[in-house]
Amino acid sequence: MKPTCYNTLLSGLISVLMVACGGGGASTDATAPSAPVSEARLIEIEDKIVSTFENSTTDIQYAFIANINDGRGYTAGRAGFTSATGDMLQVVLAYSVLVPGNVLAKYIPALQKVNGTASVVGLNGIVLAWQTAAKDPQFIAVQDSVNNSLYRQPARQLAESLSATLPLTKLALYEAGIQHGYGAYYDSVNQIVERASVAAGGNPGNGVDETKWLQAFLTERRKDLLNPGDKTAAALLALSVSRADAMLSIYAKGNFNLDKTITYTVYGASFTI
């Protein structure tokens, strides 16, 4: 599960915003990839895939907000920011620095109180307020920056620490991070990475073929969804195993550089990117 991330990276994020807002082996019959996609294209692919996993559409849903009864209170925005894990609070705090007195600012005390819990006490009216704020380009930029700070950048740093260079590996780490978060707890991406390295006999940094390691990571992530350390969320996490199956299906096609058409099915809906 995502860690509570209230106050994480907030001071650095605000500075950035001030500037910004002024399951099997891979197929062997595919043709050889030309070259890895650019970072810009990789980000585009990541955003579309995560959006299909979170909201069943390739269009980023900045205005989405609902209590989906998963133990995380309200879930909202492009990355499924939640009132329970603190990333929703971080979005509202950062937005309130840029736009004091905005429609969400009054919910800061309540978001601080429910942080770390499934409670939504004091959040009456936040659905309309979030949807209203999502019409403001500055709020969109805040969501993008919080997402980058909490999820994309840690994924890239983790890939670098593993000496992993394949775009599909970077996508896999980023997508899993959105759902699992980062930290030392059993269900975090960091711990799934550790278990994958044990299963693969190492990682790319110490000579293990990256495609072998990636298969181990995707497999271990799927295992975690079906048997998480957090047993209170076990039933809900099991319902999301389709995400892991979709990533394994992309892997099985051998499109490691993501330079070919990407097709997959998640929650019964098929997508092409």
Side-chain angles (χ1 to χ4, degrees):
M1 303 293 282
K2 289 182 185 176
T4 298
C5 50
Y6 170 46
N7 279 339
T8 304
L9 301 174
L10 181 58
S11 59
L13 171 64
I14 290 172
S15 297
V16 171
L17 286 170
M18 290 299 189
V19 175
C21 295
S27 170
T28 58
D29 60 0
T31 58
S34 53
V37 292
S38 68
E39 178 69 9
R41 174 59 176 161
L42 175 57
I43 290 173
E44 179 185 1
I45 291 169
E46 289 176 335
D47 286 348
K48 287 180 181 295
I49 288 179
V50 167
S51 189
T52 63
F53 288 2
E54 294 284 337
N55 297 114
S56 299
T57 174
T58 55
D59 297 326
I60 298 175
Q61 299 296 294
Y62 293 100
F64 171 81
I65 179 168
N67 184 351
I68 60 176
N69 297 308
D70 65 347
R72 297 182 181 184
Y74 278 105
T75 296
R78 60 161 298 148
F81 305 115
T82 75
S83 55
T85 57
D87 47 3
M88 178 185 286
L89 172 59
Q90 186 160 334
V91 169
V92 176
L93 286 169
Y95 182 45
S96 296
V97 170
L98 290 176
V99 185
N102 68 77
V103 294
L104 286 166
K106 66 181 180 181
Y107 293 101
I108 290 174
L111 285 168
Q112 290 171 330
K113 288 181 181 179
V114 303
N115 186 35
T117 77
S119 174
V120 294
V121 172
L123 298 179
N124 290 341
I126 198 171
V127 170
L128 179 59
W130 185 280
Q131 292 169 343
T132 300
K135 298 175 184 178
D136 180 1
Q138 292 185 93
F139 187 59
I140 300 304
V142 167
Q143 288 195 45
D144 288 343
S145 293
V146 172
N147 179 74
N148 286 339
S149 296
L150 294 182
Y151 304 116
R152 185 121 49 207
Q153 291 173 9
R156 294 295 190 267
Q157 291 165 0
L158 187 53
E160 184 176 0
S161 73
L162 294 165
S163 297
T165 61
L166 292 173
L168 183 55
T169 302
K170 295 177 182 179
L171 162 62
L173 292 171
Y174 170 70
E175 182 279 315
I178 292 285
Q179 182 174 32
H180 295 265
Y182 296 87
Y185 52 96
Y186 183 85
D187 300 312
S188 72
V189 169
N190 307 75
Q191 293 303 304
I192 296 173
V193 163
E194 290 296 323
R195 296 195 291 276
S197 295
V198 171
N203 61 55
N206 49 42
V208 172
D209 180 80
E210 186 171 340
T211 62
K212 176 183 177 181
W213 182 88
L214 177 56
Q215 183 181 28
F217 173 77
L218 294 172
T219 301
E220 291 299 322
R221 187 274 183 92
R222 189 179 192 279
K223 289 180 181 178
D224 187 84
L225 291 175
L226 293 174
N227 187 26
D230 182 5
K231 301 305 180 185
T232 63
L236 289 166
L237 287 173
L239 293 175
S240 66
V241 73
S242 184
R243 293 174 67 144
D245 289 339
M247 290 299 300
L248 281 163
S249 75
I250 295 171
Y251 174 92
K253 292 166 185 168
N255 188 10
F256 302 118
N257 279 332
L258 300 179
D259 59 330
K260 300 177 181 65
T261 300
I262 302 166
T263 59
Y264 60 94
T265 299
V266 64
Y267 300 128
S270 297
F271 297 91
T272 299
I273 297 173

